[in-house]
């Protein structure tokens, strides 16, 4: 019996050897989940904008107007002496208008800072207008405009008229339209406008800001799990492990969900943190483990516990996208992001289960679970080696 099991493992991985090239091509899309990011804390006044911009130091090096004197680090002395040069960088990367008139950004401070354990460069920028402004327009052009990183994201927290509005800006929606605090008594709003320069002006939202926040972070959560090939393959491995049995699917998916919800919350609240240098190889290991378990078919008594533990690890991976974004207004974004992750996960389950049932009914006698698990195992092994080597 043992020889047959070993033979099945050998055959499965041999058949999957052809998938190695595909793995090497696709693996980059499931690399470290931390990505280029900026954070904007914006206070909107009647005729002023107080804009605090934080950018990861590793990213800031690419837009810094001088060569860092510390290799990949910029010294405090170099920062303080570069304010004039940085003003031009800000003028190009951040355009703020008040009622159609371009405001001149004045950098009042620039320094090193930490945001959720991340080393960042923070700049305080002040925009002053001659008269009260009815409508502000902000265009954030850093990184994607110059082609440095089209995947760069900016997480903006906007305080205006006693309300807090949150927007996630990217290369496809980098313009924010904000009503001045006196424009609509007690009902300010912010809209992320389309990126196209010839697009029609965005219409101000009548819905309250929490609806916008809910939508923004739910979509972010869905996109995060769908774009994370490693998370997707782990979920697929769980479905294969359940062998299309509803109760097993419920138990495993529930265990995974509970696990990643716990660490997502703890990490986002900065109660617990695990470095991506540890998390990323562990995520790859979880994929490899579940694949080998599916092929080996050992006793399943501990599988729920193991799935829960690996769920904790994946939660730290999910949390990377939220680190530093909550700025004290965490309940709704955290709930919304987690909801988006769960919706994305359920969509995957709803698509895969019928497909597996259909494959099971095919007249061809092929051990689909073992071969599919073998392919998943190849991906997991490749990512594990690649992520350990790249540390």
């Amino acid at each position: 019996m043992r020889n047959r099991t070993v033979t099945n493992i050998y055959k499965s991985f041999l058949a999957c050897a052809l998938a190695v090239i595909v793995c090497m091509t696709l693996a980059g899309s499931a690399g470290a989940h931390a990505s280029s990011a900026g954070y904007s804390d914006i206070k909107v006044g009647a005729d002023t904008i107080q804009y605090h911009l934080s950018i990861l130091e590793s990213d800031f090096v690419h837009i810094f107007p001088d060569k860092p004197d510390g290799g990949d680090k910029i010294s405090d002395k170099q920062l303080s002496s570069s304010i004039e040069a940085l003003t031009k960088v800000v003028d190009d990367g951040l355009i703020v208008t008040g009622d159609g008139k371009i405001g001149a950004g004045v950098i009042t401070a620039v320094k090193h800072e930490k945001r959720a354990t991340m080393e960042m460069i923070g700049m305080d920028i002040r925009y002053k207008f001659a008269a009260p402004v009815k409508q502000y327009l902000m265009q954030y052009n850093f990184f994607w405009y110059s082609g440095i990183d089209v995947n760069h994201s900016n997480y903006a927290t906007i305080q205006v008229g006693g309300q807090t509005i949150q927007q996630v800006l990217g290369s496809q929606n980098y313009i924010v339209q904000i009503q001045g605090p006196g424009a609509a008594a007690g009902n300010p709003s912010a809209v992320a406008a389309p990126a196209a320069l010839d697009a029609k002006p965005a219409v101000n939202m009548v819905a309250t800001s929490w609806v916008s926040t809910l939508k923004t972070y739910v979509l972010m959560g869905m996109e995060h799990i769908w774009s994370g090939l490693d998370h997707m393959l782990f979920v697929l491995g769980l479905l294969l492990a359940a062998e299309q049995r509803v109760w097993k699917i419920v138990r495993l998916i529930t265990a995974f969900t509970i696990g990643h919800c716990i660490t997502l919350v703890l990490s986002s609240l900065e109660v617990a943190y695990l470095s991506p240098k540890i998390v990323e190889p562990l995520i790859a290991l979880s994929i490899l483990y579940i694949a080998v378990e599916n092929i080996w078919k050992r006793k399943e008594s501990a599988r729920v516990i193991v799935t829960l533990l690996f769920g904790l690890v994946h939660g730290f991976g999910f949390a990377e996208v939220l680190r530093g974004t909550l700025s004290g207004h965490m309940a709704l974004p955290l709930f919304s992001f987690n909801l988006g992750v769960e919706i994305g996960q359920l969509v995957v389950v709803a698509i895969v289960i019928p497909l597996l049932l259909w494959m099971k009914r095919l007249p061809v006698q092929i051990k689909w679970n073992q071969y599919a698990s073998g392919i998943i195992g190849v991906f997991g092994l490749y990512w594990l080696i690649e992520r350990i080597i790249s540390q």
Side-chain angles (χ1 to χ4, degrees), residues 22-350:
V22 179
C23 291
M24 296 176 66
T25 303
L26 297 178
S29 67
H33 295 89
S35 58
S36 173
Y39 304 90
S40 297
D41 296 298
I42 306 165
K43 293 183 180 179
V44 180
D47 58 357
T48 59
I49 293 282
Q50 298 286 353
Y51 199 120
H52 182 77
L53 176 62
S54 302
I55 294 177
L56 291 168
E57 185 174 8
S58 56
D59 295 333
F60 196 86
V61 169
H62 297 295
I63 61 174
F64 191 63
D66 196 4
K67 184 177 180 180
D69 51 15
D72 58 348
K73 298 288 184 180
I74 306 170
S75 67
D76 289 325
K77 181 179 178 181
Q78 194 175 18
L79 277 178
S80 59
S81 63
S82 301
I83 289 182
E84 186 175 342
L86 283 171
T87 298
K88 186 177 186 310
V89 174
V90 169
D91 287 342
D92 292 337
L94 188 62
I95 300 172
V96 177
T97 64
D99 292 334
K101 297 179 181 179
I102 296 178
V106 177
I107 300 176
T108 58
V110 55
K111 60 184 179 180
H112 288 88
E113 63 183 27
K114 276 198 172 183
R115 188 164 182 144
T117 73
M118 296 180 288
E119 298 291 339
M120 312 200 80
I121 303 294
M123 291 189 291
D124 288 315
I125 311 162
R126 185 172 183 268
Y127 295 87
K128 173 70 175 176
F129 294 89
V133 175
K134 293 182 179 179
Q135 183 171 279
Y136 292 100
L137 200 67
M138 300 182 196
Q139 182 171 317
Y140 183 93
N141 295 327
F142 287 104
F143 296 100
W144 51 69
Y145 188 77
S146 56
I148 295 175
D149 186 355
V150 295
N151 295 316
H152 175 80
S153 297
N154 181 272
Y155 302 90
T157 301
I158 306 162
Q159 295 180 10
V160 50
Q163 293 189 28
T164 299
I165 304 164
Q166 291 169 316
Q167 294 286 343
V168 181
L169 305 178
S171 58
Q172 300 303 312
N173 57 316
Y174 53 76
I175 300 174
V176 176
Q177 180 177 299
I178 308 172
Q179 289 182 347
N187 187 31
S189 62
V191 176
L197 295 178
D198 59 349
K200 295 180 180 178
V203 179
N204 283 324
M205 293 185 297
V206 246
T208 53
S209 60
W210 73 267
V211 176
S212 174
T213 300
L214 178 69
K215 179 182 177 182
T216 296
Y217 281 88
V218 165
L219 290 176
M220 190 194 306
M222 293 168 65
E223 290 171 1
H224 186 65
I225 193 166
W226 289 339
S227 63
L229 185 57
D230 46 3
H231 295 308
M232 296 270 282
L233 286 184
F234 185 78
V235 172
L236 177 58
L238 293 180
L239 297 179
L240 292 172
E243 297 180 328
Q244 296 88 50
R245 297 178 185 176
V246 175
W247 178 237
K248 285 186 178 181
I249 292 172
V250 171
R251 283 197 304 170
L252 293 177
I253 293 297
T254 300
F256 180 58
T257 298
I258 291 173
H260 71 65
C261 283
I262 291 172
T263 45
L264 174 59
V265 171
L266 293 179
S267 183
S268 298
L269 298 180
E270 298 180 34
V271 174
Y273 172 69
L274 198 59
S275 169
K277 292 183 179 180
I278 300 174
V279 171
E280 297 300 328
L282 285 178
I283 289 176
L285 179 62
S286 73
I287 297 167
L288 177 60
Y289 177 88
I290 198 70
V292 172
E293 278 281 277
N294 288 348
I295 296 170
W296 196 271
K297 291 193 175 180
R298 297 169 63 185
K299 291 182 180 180
E300 299 179 3
S301 56
R303 178 161 290 186
V304 172
I305 302 300
V306 171
T307 301
L308 174 65
L309 294 176
F310 279 132
L312 295 173
V313 174
H314 282 253
F316 283 115
F318 291 143
E320 278 301 303
V321 76
L322 283 185
R323 291 178 65 213
T325 68
L326 302 180
S327 303
H329 304 277
M330 57 188 66
L332 183 57
L334 187 56
F335 167 78
S336 304
F337 181 82
N338 204 29
L339 178 61
V341 169
E342 300 316 315
I343 292 174
Q345 184 173 283
L346 289 174
V347 169
V348 174
V349 172

